[in-house]
Amino acid sequence: DSVFPQENEFVQSSIYDENFLIPKCRIEEYIWDNIQNWQEKTAMVCGITGRNYNYAKLRDYSAATAIRLQQKFNLKSGDVVGICLPNIPEFPICCFGAIEADLIVTTVNPIYTAHEISKQILDSQAKVMFCTVEKYSVLEEAVKLSEQNIPIICIKTDKNDILPRNSIDFFELMDTKGIDFSSLQKPIRDHHETVTLPYSSGTTGLPKGVMLSHTNLISNCEMLKVNTGKGTIVLPTTDSYQDVLPCVLPFFHIYGFTVTLMSKLNQGCKMVTLPGFRPDTFLNALAEHKGSVLNLVPPIIIFLTNFEGVQNKHTQSIRNIFSGAAPLAQSDAEMFLKKVPHVDFVQGYGLTETSPVVLFQSVGSTNYASIGAPCPKTQAKIVSIDDPTFTALGANQCGELLVRGPQTMKGYHNNEKATKETLVENGWLRTGDISYYDENGQFYITDRLKELIKVKGFQVPPAELEALLRSHNEIADAAVVGKSHPIDGERPVGFVVLKKNSTLNEENIKKFVAEKVAAYKKIDEIIFLEAIPKNPTGKIIRKDLKAKYCS
Ligand code: 4UV
């Protein structure tokens, strides 16, 4: 357990530190830790087709997958496999099977284009990819673009699916027939080693692989179990294995991965997987499966508040709702809770780089504008933006939020420079968010210092869109910033300097980008400029663009 180096009295510690212990084990041990209590209960059920697995089956299929991955592919401990899957019941089998085989999992957004996937394949050096039959042609194209020779393991999710010719059938891989469970080669990498590599752009630049260890992720799951007075943060009862979670947030993102998938498998819940957000399937899952716990982002909270089709039968079984990943206005929370006054509502704050949760509210707090206070074993401080000593400031002073704790990443994969800029002295991680805390130690996010844009809680790195715009042979220079949007949070706006004689218009440019990126990254508006404002070192002055065009 980490003991933090002492700093001044303004550093904010958790009020829940006492008796908090982090299990020293690997993820596959943690996930199946209490399985004897709920072997026969449903672990995963598809909210569309009803396809389901109980806990005993899920564990056995994961172990069989681990053994076959070790035996059939030329993989060694610490090699990376890519999981490009929507929320389907097989997601944890692929993922925790690969982890049991001592591999590292990089989760890939299943709505990414071939162009986006190929970048992650190359950067992570993935050796095997998992996808659904539906996504196979995109994966095949991505593998081609990356000029690698990578086997693709394919999951049939519909009874009419036909296995693509050059792919490997996942259902054969996970089949337990003929499996000798004792043939699994024991892992040689311990719980401090990297186990997942989700991608995040961090404070600047292109997406980077975030190296998270078993301990990072497990400590975060345990923090969510802490009792804040009126019950635990994530689950309101002790018999949590009866809780049902309609899983609408994607498992590939750290929120869905840790807070939903890992944490709830460890507690014996039933997860209803939804491959994407659609009002009808989401509401069906709530009513039909009697959803009791929800992990959400603000746009879905706004949907539940305003959508006319939301009736009592959809919300009556809900007991606990957690919101995170983007700012939620106090008024949006209040309007929502008028509709569901029986619900325990908690907001949290986190980053991919911190597994993700670092601050959360206590159950029963009505200060919805706040993101709460540090998790167990976690500290937070506010520092002046231009202070190279990162000295903690007192209450009610705005500055950059820094955090540290056992959930803080090991660093960025193959990127020492970005790691050094983000992880500074004494284990502090720079969040790139502007924040302050009040006299009660409650934190508030007021702005973002980093260039990241968040659309519906998803990351849109401006550097990625700028590089894409600049790759057009009629575009001389480009910049991208976020503009506030009442439901999505933000949307990207592009600034473009055209080359001489170019005839490009707004529509051509938007189309050019839309063909190469996932839908939520599409540019909403293009503004033509004579020059992009830059400082003497060539950095785009985004705040000028924002102030002039996006307010
Ligand atoms: O890296 P990332 O995409 O990570 C996240 C993780 C959010 C989670 C997930 C589960 C939780 O339980 C939880 O409390 C939070 O989104 O993006 C990180 C950036 O998202 C913004 C902030 O700018 C981070 O640096 N962000 C995340 N949560 C909040 C937020 C929030 N509650 N309020 C405002 N901004």
Side-chain angles (χ1 to χ4, degrees), residues 253 255 322 325 327 347-350 352 356-357 433 448 450 454 459:
H253 185 255
Y255 187 176
F322 194 78
Q347 191 182 182
Y349 160 89
T352 308
V357 193
D433 289 311
R448 215 175 279 139
K450 58 187 168 192
K454 289 217 107 183
Q459 290 206 358

Side-chain angles (χ1 to χ4, degrees), residues 51-70:
R51 190 169 75 258
N52 62 79
Y53 302 95
N54 68 21
Y55 271 86
K57 285 259 183 315
L58 202 72
R59 182 196 49 195
D60 287 353
Y61 288 143
S62 302
T65 301
I67 292 167
R68 292 223 174 74
L69 279 170
Q70 284 180 338

Side-chain angles (χ1 to χ4, degrees), residues 233-250:
I233 285 292
V234 276
L235 297 168
T237 59
T238 47
D239 54 348
S240 57
Y241 64 90
Q242 293 177 8
D243 271 312
V244 179
L245 279 101
C247 300
V248 66
L249 297 191

